[in-house]
Amino acid sequence: MKQQTKRLLKSLCMAVGIILLSAVDPLAGYAAERTIDIKHLGEGQSIVRVDARAKYLLLPVEESSPESKLYMIVDNDVVRTFNVRLAVNKVDYFVPVDLSGYADKHISFNFQLAPESALCWKEMKLSDQFDSSNREKFRPAYHFSPAWGWMNDPNGMVYKDGEYHLFYQYNPYGSMWGNMHWGHAISKDLIHWEHQPVAIAPDALGTIFSGSCVVDKDNTAGFGAGAIVAFYTSASDRQVQSMAYSLDNGRTFKKYDRNPILTSTQRDFRDPKVFWHKESNKWIMVLAVGQEMQLYSSPNLKDWTYESSFGEGQGAHAGVWECPDLIELPVKGTELKKWVLICNINPGGPFGGSATQYFVGAFDGKQFVNESPALTKWMDYGKDHYATVTWSNAPEDRKIALAWMSNWEYANNVPTLQYRSANSVPRDLVLYTKNGQTYLSSTPSPEVLKLRGKAQKKGSFKVDRSHEVNPVLPDPTGTYEIEIKFKNNGADIMSFQLFNSKGEEVEMRYNLLDNTFTMDRRNSGITDFSKTFATATSAPISAAKEYTLRLLVDKSSIEAFDGNGEFVMTNLVFPEEPYNRISFHAKGGAFTVTSLTIYPFK
């Protein structure tokens, strides 16, 4: 009788265009049913009414579909607007729309541009759960990535009360760029991260582009001593700067009621980096404006005065400048400190697409002066290192950098679906001198050492033609660190390959004829998603008899760090199976691997 009643109710509801979705118990009766009521209005317009007793509305996504604009309406007011690529012919994955907080409210969605024949109308679901467990073979094990959806620039990184806060450019409604929010995660050790709810969502001023956070220890803004204050770009037809603040250690933010705090007639006007300059007793904001950086000052974080611009005739200019940072760093082996202006550029990187350049010089609270205007300096010589910025308020005045580990040439197309993009490992920054110039040195933050398992030492061996060490790991997982020490005995080229049983490989080589280190990923695995992915990248090296190299390998990325801190190279890879073998080759002479140590990661 119970089943007959249920079938009758379903038949009656279907007759008026209502789709019934069961709760956890499919036989719980009509009282436990959740409903989706879909009405098509023609010309791609549809209205969907949902039952708010469910926590999520799950939307089916097909990435090849065009974007549909969706308006979430509660009691006749629009509370959320975003774009989603609704499934037309097939479902690539689902994304959740959070309905919590609207219990006993009338919720409806106005969809635009989604055809009546689209598959999404049959696959749309109501649920109390959303499965964000890892279903991606390429998801990194120890690099941060979002639980689902798209991520790009690290934003608002700040340390307070034993916690590192990472905010980031985030699309919760698809794994391609769009709908920019600030996602949020918290860590106590820079390695293990806890996902948090969205920190800052779009509003009437626009979507939420990149920015920074500070701890207002002395309550200069009047929000409260110790408030975390966030600065971000509100992006709509124009780009303006806005502010929000948190009084609960970053768990929730309240937007400043007089946003925007800074405007411009320039179309590219974004990515505010704010810090306290104790010498001038003011807050400083650095903004990316077209192909220059503009500097502003403020006593209270609300009222800003233009100070100067930097950029004309300096560095690379093949693309727009973005995501600035201005930090003071010690010079190794001296008592000196110098200022470093970090400038991300897209396109215009040394190997195409996006990359991070930097300038070393002096800053007096008003103007930055580059000490080497004739040189262009790159922070990382890989293809996949962008939007690099540092943590604010880090303990012991550490300058800890983090980068988005991708490239705008193909970031939307890499072979993952549930999520896209990860960050680099955190890196501590200092300066060093070479040939009369001052350069930036990046090394993995000491916290990364905690990932190491028991060392596997392979001993010393000479390479006059080739030598294979097999396997790299007895139970390969694709997540490990390798430290290699080389001694040259007259070779022109010292090279080695990480490879697997399918013949996929990444070759790395020291060319002692032109003093370069190269990483070649042309045969690394899946590369056909982009014409520009299969490539080799090179970094200059100093002529020496001995070299040390640290390789951090994590399923879909390789980060190579020179042992003396002179270069870093970050590249994505997508092998069909992990690289579990390594071989060495010499050309024009011989060399010795004096030490080969492999650390499986915990």
Side-chain angles (χ1 to χ4, degrees), residues 132-144:
S132 61
S133 59
N134 183 19
R135 298 184 297 277
E136 297 278 355
K137 64 182 290 186
F138 293 124
R139 184 187 288 277
Y142 59 91
H143 292 76
F144 177 81

Side-chain angles (χ1 to χ4, degrees), residues 277-297:
H277 186 247
K278 62 182 179 181
E279 288 78 10
S280 62
N281 200 38
K282 289 183 179 180
W283 295 101
I284 301 297
M285 178 187 291
V286 190
L287 277 166
V289 186
Q291 290 196 350
E292 68 176 18
M293 298 302 183
Q294 293 184 355
L295 289 92
Y296 296 78
S297 67

Side-chain angles (χ1 to χ4, degrees), residues 250-442:
R251 268 58 181 183
T252 60
F253 281 85
K254 179 178 176 59
K255 291 173 181 172
Y256 181 48
D257 58 9
R258 295 191 178 184
N259 282 334
I261 58 171
L262 194 58
T263 64
S264 172
T265 59
Q266 298 294 314
R267 187 160 292 278
D268 292 311
F269 182 68
R270 57 179 175 264
D271 310 339
K273 178 59 188 277
V274 177
F275 65 94
W276 177 256
H277 186 247
K278 62 182 179 181
E279 288 78 10
S280 62
N281 200 38
K282 289 183 179 180
W283 295 101
I284 301 297
M285 178 187 291
V286 190
L287 277 166
V289 186
Q291 290 196 350
E292 68 176 18
M293 298 302 183
Q294 293 184 355
L295 289 92
Y296 296 78
S297 67
S298 172
N300 59 10
L301 296 173
K302 298 175 180 177
D303 304 304
W304 294 91
T305 301
Y306 172 80
E307 297 289 356
S308 64
S309 296
F310 170 84
E312 185 176 355
Q314 313 273 328
H317 282 273
V320 67
W321 285 16
E322 295 186 308
C323 302
D325 202 348
L326 185 56
I327 54 177
E328 190 177 30
L329 290 174
V331 181
K332 283 196 296 187
T334 75
E335 298 296 320
L336 298 175
K337 287 187 175 182
K338 295 185 179 183
W339 285 85
V340 177
L341 177 59
I342 296 173
C343 169
N344 293 273
I345 182 172
N346 176 55
F351 306 102
S354 41
T356 306
Q357 63 179 327
Y358 68 93
F359 308 91
V360 180
F363 176 64
D364 62 2
K366 290 182 176 291
Q367 188 174 26
F368 174 80
V369 178
N370 178 18
E371 68 179 22
S372 306
L375 290 180
T376 299
K377 301 176 181 179
W378 299 104
M379 194 170 179
D380 188 295
Y381 285 88
K383 187 89 170 173
D384 299 301
H385 180 274
Y386 192 61
T388 314
V389 286
T390 61
W391 258 277
S392 173
N393 198 47
E396 301 174 358
D397 200 29
R398 289 171 63 187
K399 298 300 186 289
I400 308 167
L402 197 70
W404 175 48
M405 203 160 53
S406 196
N407 191 302
W408 277 117
E409 287 186 337
Y410 43 72
N412 277 297
N413 306 114
V414 296
T416 63
L417 286 177
Q418 182 187 9
Y419 80 101
R420 277 202 177 88
S421 298
N423 288 328
S424 68
V425 293
R427 304 172 182 186
D428 277 43
L429 306 180
V430 295
L431 294 170
Y432 72 97
T433 56
K434 175 184 172 182
N435 300 327
Q437 295 289 339
T438 307
Y439 295 94
L440 191 60
S441 176
S442 303

Side-chain angles (χ1 to χ4, degrees), residues 71-134:
Y71 298 88
M72 181 175 176
I73 302 168
V74 177
D75 289 347
N76 297 320
D77 290 325
V78 176
V79 298
R80 206 177 304 170
T81 304
F82 56 90
N83 296 316
V84 61
R85 297 178 184 272
L86 290 170
V88 175
N89 300 303
K90 67 183 181 73
V91 177
D92 290 327
Y93 51 84
F94 287 85
V95 294
V97 179
D98 193 346
L99 305 179
S100 60
Y102 298 109
D104 301 322
K105 300 285 187 179
H106 297 287
I107 302 178
S108 62
F109 294 87
N110 188 335
F111 290 82
Q112 296 185 354
L113 303 179
E116 186 175 342
S117 60
L119 181 63
C120 62
W121 308 120
K122 295 181 180 179
E123 295 293 333
M124 205 172 290
K125 303 175 183 179
L126 286 166
S127 176
D128 287 330
Q129 296 178 333
F130 176 67
D131 181 10
S132 61
S133 59
N134 183 19

Side-chain angles (χ1 to χ4, degrees), residues 8 18 72 85 143 425 455 480 551 587:
L8 178 60
I18 297 177
M72 181 175 176
R85 297 178 184 272
H143 292 76
V425 293
Y480 49 85
L551 296 175
K587 184 176 181 179

